[in-house]
Amino acid sequence: MTKPIYALSGPNLNLLGKREPEIYGTDTLDDIHARMQTRAGTIDVVARQSNHEGELVDWIQEAKDTACAIILNAGAYTHTSLAIHDALRAVSIPVIEIHVSNPAAREAFRHVNHISSVATATIAGAGAYGYELAVDAALHMLSGKT
């Protein structure tokens, strides 16, 4: 049996579809997760969201042994969390960092990124569709074509 793809989302992403739709769109996280699973086909997508940094670290450590890839939107923790950075350094599976908006085109404090340097790939600014692109990227990497 193939290991699942972990789709991990950080703080406030449970508010997608409600919070600042002019920036983040109107799709909910459940909508996004459903499209990710459809895109992944026979590979399960284990979708989780937490507002707590330590819980995200625990899930990354779990994924190290139980997942084939991680798709991570760390939310605001992208800009602050050395703990998530360090947890990602310990995994040897593909890590695709995702952002609904483009942090580089936003406030200066969002230009600091502790995730990109340990991610295999980054997708930013493609809206909710970026999550589907992340599934495609993970599947491509897992196929050995990269």
Side-chain angles (χ1 to χ4, degrees):
M1 179 172 5
T2 304
K3 292 180 178 181
I5 295 171
Y6 274 34
L8 306 178
S9 298
N12 298 310
L13 290 163
N14 57 307
L15 299 177
L16 283 177
K18 300 174 197 143
R19 174 186 170 220
E20 299 177 277
E22 67 280 3
I23 295 173
Y24 300 108
T26 57
D27 291 316
T28 68
L29 197 54
D30 287 340
D31 296 335
I32 292 166
H33 289 159
R35 287 196 304 272
M36 290 175 80
Q37 183 58 68
T38 297
R39 194 70 158 233
T42 60
I43 296 178
D44 285 335
V45 175
V46 174
R48 298 176 178 166
Q49 184 277 329
S50 180
N51 293 319
H52 305 283
E53 181 180 30
E55 191 162 35
L56 291 165
V57 168
D58 288 343
W59 291 337
I60 291 166
Q61 291 178 0
E62 176 185 313
K64 177 181 179 292
D65 298 317
T66 61
C68 64
I70 298 171
I71 296 171
L72 173 65
N73 184 339
Y77 290 137
T78 299
H79 319 293
T80 63
S81 181
L82 297 177
I84 290 174
H85 168 95
D86 289 348
L88 290 170
R89 285 180 57 98
V91 303
S92 58
I93 58 178
V95 174
I96 294 84
E97 174 190 22
I98 176 76
H99 298 283
V100 175
S101 67
N102 180 0
R106 297 190 56 200
E107 304 92 340
F109 69 86
R110 295 186 195 277
H111 299 174
V112 174
N113 185 324
H114 295 291
I115 306 301
S116 288
S117 65
V118 290
T120 311
T122 299
I123 298 169
Y129 181 62
Y131 286 88
E132 293 175 65
L133 294 173
V135 171
D136 289 346
L139 294 174
H140 183 74
M141 290 173 195
L142 293 168
S143 74
K145 295 178 184 173
T146 301

